[in-house]
Every structure is written in structure tokens, then in C-alpha cells.
Amino acid sequence: MDETSATKAGTYEFDKDFIVNRLGYGTMQLTGNGVWGPYKDPDQAADLIKSSFDLGVNFIDTADSYGPWHADTYLAKALKDYSDSDKIFISDKVGQVRTGENEWTPVGAPAFLRQEVELSLRLFNRDHEDLLFLHRIDSHYTLEEQVGELKKMQDEGKIKHIGVSQVTLDELKDVQKVAKIDAVENLYNVGHHKDDDEIVDYAKEQGMAFLPWFPLDTGNLTKADSPLNDIAKKYNASSAQIALAWLLKRSDNIIPIPGTSSLEHLKDNIAAANVNLSDEDFETLSKLQK
Ligand SMILES: NC(=O)c1ccc[n+]([C@@H]2O[C@H](COP(=O)([O-])OP(=O)(O)OC[C@H]3O[C@@H](n4cnc5c(N)ncnc54)[C@H](OP(=O)(O)O)[C@@H]3O)[C@@H](O)[C@H]2O)c1
């Protein structure tokens, strides 16, 4: 049987000092209901993140708004307990406050964005963010105020790469006038991609990574009635693996960041790196979204 390792998913180069494996992990499932409050077993949460490192994952997507702060606290613990923690690339996000379960409010006040970065660096015991996303554009502030503040922190050495999340192509082009954008993170999966296909291609052309959030359609693509089941049987794979293999084949700037609270599912997801979809099956899957 093939070894399970994210190293088999190929790599993406952010800069010559940081080349990441193209199968990451997203921490959002490690919280309470509605991404609010602590995860039911904090030690298990930190252990799960550490297991992802052991499986070759070196790209972790997170945000202080997950919990808030709970997922980041587990990540900080996992990093502290891991000898090669400086080799873990953190993809972080700022610019949203939480007021309760499933409540997300963009806040783009420059001083707030700066505070989030400073608190995250303190928690992660780092002097810079590897990749920092503006989680959402806040219409109460200009792009110069929001992305401009990230650019200032980049100039101060506190942020290496800047990204934007859930943007249209026009917004992405506007943001590029304020700062160099190295990554985009939008909702994207095999069942829901048409709206963003052109952003994936534009990002590739511009030398940006594309992080598809909800890569498993928040679990719907893995269910018993998954539309991926027939192709999954053909590859002796799980439907989650087919969803991730489709993303990996779609474009080499895509870094899937599946979220899970289960070690079994984590291993299943990483083993997607062993699935080589044929061109024909890739095309069939690409047409699933009507
Ligand atoms: N930028 C943004 O605005 C934004 C928004 C949302 C999410 N994100 C990021 O994207 C990451 C991924 O999104 P997500 O976690 O919400 O959704 P997802 O990865 O599409 O799906 C996660 C769901 O699928 C289940 N699952 C995972 N692997 C499975 C497997 N192999 N078999 C069966 N079920 C499986 C999980 O349940 P179990 O826990 O039981 O495995 C969970 O319910 C987040 O962690 C976060 O980092 C970003």
C-alpha cells in the first residue's frame, strides 16, 4: 500500500525559503458548535494538528476568529511540541469579529487588523506571519486603509505574504493596486466552482496561490449519496479523496486545506495525494456542477 504523506501532493513555492506541500490542513473544525467556543477535547485538537505535521502537512490555514482564538491556541500548542515548527507555514487571517455561533462580522479598522497580527505573533511565538489574509473586505473602510495597513506591516517585516479572501475578480484587481497579493482564498470545490474558475486561472497567471475553502463542501461531498461515489469506487478511493484529487489536478497553484476533527479522516484526506485522476474522469467531475 502507498505511504500516506502530503509530500506526494506536489509542492507550491511561496518564496525560495518556503516551499509547501500542496495538501494542507484547516483548523476551523477544531472549535465548538457554529465555530464558537472551545473544541470538546483541546488536547486531542492539538494532537490532531501535530499528526498532520507527522503526515507531511506543512501548510496550516487558521484564523483568530475560529473560536475565537481556540483553534489558534491548539495550533500554538502543536507548534510548541513539534521540533521542526519553523518548517510549518501558517496561513492566517484577520479582519472578522465574532459575536456568537455562526456570526461573522467584518471589521477592517486598521488598528484592529494590526492588533490581531500582534496577538497572533505573540501566541505563535513568531516574529512574522508567513501568509496573512484579509478575511473579508469591510465596506466601511477603504482598501488603502485595510490592505494598506497589511502592506505597512509587511514593510515592517511582520508579514511575508499578503492574501485576500472571498473576493471577486474586480476586487482582486483593485487590491493588487494597493499591495502585492500572493494568495486568494475563496469557496471552491468540485461541486461549486463555476463562479471562481476565472479567479483560479487569473491567480495562476499572476503567480498567486489559490486556497479553496470548503474543499469537501463542508462534508457534503463525502456523504453516502455523494455524486463522487461512482468514480471513487473505480479508484478504490473515498469520495473525499476524489474531491481533493480533483482540486489538485485542477491547477498547480491550488492548495486544498480540508478540515477535520478526526484522525481517520485526516489520514484519508492526505492519502488523496496518491489518487491520480485520468483526464477523462477529471472532465466528467468538472461537469458535475450544472
Ligand atoms: N477564508 C474563509 O472565509 C474560510 C471559510 C471557511 C473555511 N475556511 C478554511 O477552510 C478549511 C476547510 O473548510 P471546512 O473545514 O469548513 O470544510 P471542508 O474541509 O469542506 O469539510 C469539513 C467537513 O468534512 C468532514 N470531513 C473531513 N474529511 C472527511 C473525510 N475524509 N471523510 C468524511 N468526512 C470528512 C469533517 O467532519 P469530521 O470532523 O468528522 O472529519 C467536516 O464536517 C477550514 O478549516 C478553514 O481553515 C476558510
Side-chain angles (χ1 to χ4, degrees):
M1 198 192 190
D2 281 340
E3 186 204 342
T4 300
S5 172
T7 56
K8 298 194 162 189
T11 54
Y12 183 85
E13 184 173 329
F14 277 91
D15 54 59
K16 64 176 178 357
D17 298 327
F18 235 127
I19 300 174
V20 300
N21 297 322
R22 283 183 56 222
L23 248 183
Y25 174 76
T27 65
M28 200 175 85
Q29 300 297 328
L30 301 177
T31 53
N33 282 336
V35 197
W36 181 255
Y39 182 63
K40 57 182 185 238
D41 184 342
D43 288 339
Q44 187 220 332
D47 285 349
L48 189 78
I49 297 172
K50 213 140 68 63
S51 298
S52 79
F53 304 157
D54 294 336
L55 288 163
V57 170
N58 60 359
F59 186 98
I60 303 288
D61 187 72
T62 194
D64 61 8
S65 51
Y66 299 163
W69 290 109
H70 290 291
D72 276 359
T73 303
Y74 313 142
L75 173 57
K77 182 171 188 312
L79 290 169
K80 193 162 174 277
D81 294 347
Y82 188 65
S83 54
D84 269 346
S85 66
D86 57 334
K87 297 202 172 70
I88 304 299
F89 189 98
I90 302 180
S91 156
D92 201 1
K93 306 183 216 77
V94 294
Q96 294 220 81
V97 290
R98 306 296 311 285
T99 49
E101 284 184 27
N102 291 315
E103 291 173 8
W104 305 82
T105 305
V107 174
F112 176 64
L113 302 180
R114 182 172 284 269
Q115 176 184 281
E116 286 181 279
V117 169
E118 292 291 358
L119 292 182
S120 299
L121 293 179
R122 193 159 82 185
L123 180 63
F124 297 141
N125 196 24
R126 289 191 168 191
D127 61 8
H128 68 269
E129 297 266 15
D130 297 318
L131 170 61
L132 199 275
F133 284 92
L134 182 64
H135 210 154
R136 288 293 182 276
I137 294 171
D138 178 352
S139 57
H140 299 92
Y141 295 87
T142 63
L143 291 180
E144 283 72 18
E145 285 171 308
Q146 297 169 82
V147 180
E149 188 66 18
L150 303 190
K151 167 86 170 65
K152 270 188 217 158
M153 285 186 271
Q154 186 176 48
D155 293 341
E156 292 161 19
K158 292 180 175 174
I159 297 173
K160 265 210 147 169
H161 302 278
I162 298 174
V164 281
S165 176
Q166 213 46 39
V167 288
T168 64
L169 189 52
D170 285 345
E171 285 170 337
L172 177 55
K173 289 179 178 173
D174 285 344
V175 167
Q176 282 185 290
K177 292 174 194 153
V178 181
K180 181 175 183 296
I181 302 301
D182 290 326
V184 183
E185 179 163 344
N186 276 13
L187 195 166
Y188 193 82
N189 60 58
V190 63
H192 186 119
H193 57 90
K194 283 193 172 166
D195 291 348
D196 281 49
D197 278 335
E198 62 173 357
I199 296 198
V200 171
D201 296 334
Y202 178 77
K204 159 101 177 144
E205 178 195 305
Q206 295 282 310
M208 299 174 197
F210 183 92
L211 274 65
W213 62 264
F214 283 180
L216 305 174
D217 192 20
T218 195
N220 289 321
L221 289 169
T222 70
K223 298 222 162 107
D225 61 351
S226 170
L228 312 182
N229 282 345
D230 287 347
I231 289 185
K233 269 189 211 127
K234 204 168 136 180
Y235 286 84
N236 198 19
S238 68
S239 49
Q241 289 168 350
I242 297 299
L244 297 171
W246 181 85
L247 287 167
L248 288 171
K249 193 173 168 82
R250 168 65 179 82
S251 186
D252 62 9
N253 63 330
I254 289 188
I255 306 170
I257 43 163
T260 180
S261 54
S262 138
L263 182 59
E264 189 192 333
H265 289 168
L266 176 70
K267 289 180 179 162
D268 188 50
N269 294 341
I270 303 300
N274 297 330
V275 176
N276 287 313
L277 284 179
S278 69
D279 292 347
E280 193 189 346
D281 288 330
F282 175 81
E283 290 307 329
T284 304
L285 289 164
S286 302
K287 289 182 196 136
L288 274 180
Q289 187 186 5
K290 300 284 185 269

